[in-house]
């Protein structure tokens, strides 16, 4: 069974709301045969990443950059997963109280190096997530998971 790995750093109520919407979309009953695995960024391992067929990355933008937790995750998995995960689909959601451009740029650089393929547009939210952004998070989860259906 294909699996979708959601790697997230969820330190705030807004990030939690976005995370729950992503999970809800990824686990929608119409998406069949995809195992959805959730791992906090600080506990994800190369084994988790190698076992997954696609990824969703969730992070706050802290001082214009991805969270330190997601950076640690990338530092942990990058070389062990470099050659074995090329071509796998991924999506990203980011919450920022100020600009998210630096976080997006860094995630794009790292995922490009890994050879991952963007499966959906990034969801970037500033401040309290309005209903439309929560729906976009749901769509992100559903879109990436649906691409893994066999």
């Amino acid at each position: 069974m294909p699996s979708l790995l959601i790697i997230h750093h969820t330190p705030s109520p807004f990030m939690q709301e976005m995370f729950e919407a992503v999970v809800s979309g990824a686990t929608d009953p119409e998406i069949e045969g995809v195992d959805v695995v959730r791992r906090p960024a600080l506990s994800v391992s190369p084994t988790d990443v190698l076992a997954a067929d696609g990824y969703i990355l969730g992070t706050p933008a802290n001082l214009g950059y991805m969270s330190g937790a997601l950076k640690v995750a990338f530092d942990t998995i990058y070389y062990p997963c470099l050659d074995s995960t090329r071509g796998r689909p991924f999506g990203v959601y980011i919450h920022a109280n100020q600009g998210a451009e630096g976080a997006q740029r860094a995630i794009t650089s790292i995922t490009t190096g890994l050879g991952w393929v963007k499966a959906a547009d990034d969801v970037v939210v500033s401040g309290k997530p309005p209903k439309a952004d929560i729906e976009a998070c749901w769509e992100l989860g559903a879109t990436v998971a649906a691409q893994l259906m066999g």
Side-chain angles (χ1 to χ4, degrees):
M1 174 183 302
S3 76
L4 171 63
L5 176 61
I6 302 173
I7 302 170
H8 65 99
H9 183 59
T10 309
S12 70
F14 295 154
M15 283 299 301
Q16 184 67 34
E17 189 175 3
M18 294 170 70
F19 170 73
E20 288 173 5
V22 167
V23 170
S24 179
T27 59
D28 186 89
E30 290 189 28
I31 297 172
E32 299 175 351
V34 176
D35 183 30
V36 178
V37 178
R38 305 145 185 102
R39 290 286 182 272
L42 289 175
S43 68
V44 73
S45 71
T47 302
D48 295 322
V49 175
L50 290 167
D53 300 289
Y55 315 98
I56 297 178
L57 310 168
T59 184
N62 295 329
L63 304 172
Y65 195 71
M66 75 178 97
S67 69
L70 186 58
K71 179 65 169 85
V72 166
F74 278 134
D75 288 348
T76 301
I77 66 98
Y78 191 86
Y79 286 109
C81 299
L82 182 58
D83 294 322
S84 301
T85 61
R86 291 191 179 281
R88 294 184 186 174
F90 79 99
V92 176
Y93 65 98
I94 300 170
H95 181 267
N97 286 322
Q98 296 176 355
E101 299 82 7
Q104 283 182 288
R105 187 172 37 258
I107 291 168
T108 297
S109 293
I110 294 167
T111 54
T112 297
L114 286 164
W116 294 359
V117 178
K118 187 173 278 197
D121 290 336
D122 295 350
V123 177
V124 179
V125 178
S126 184
K128 179 172 176 24
K131 183 178 179 183
D133 288 338
I134 294 303
E135 290 170 355
C137 287
W138 188 96
E139 286 291 332
L140 175 67
T143 298
V144 179
Q147 290 187 22
L148 300 177
M149 286 178 24

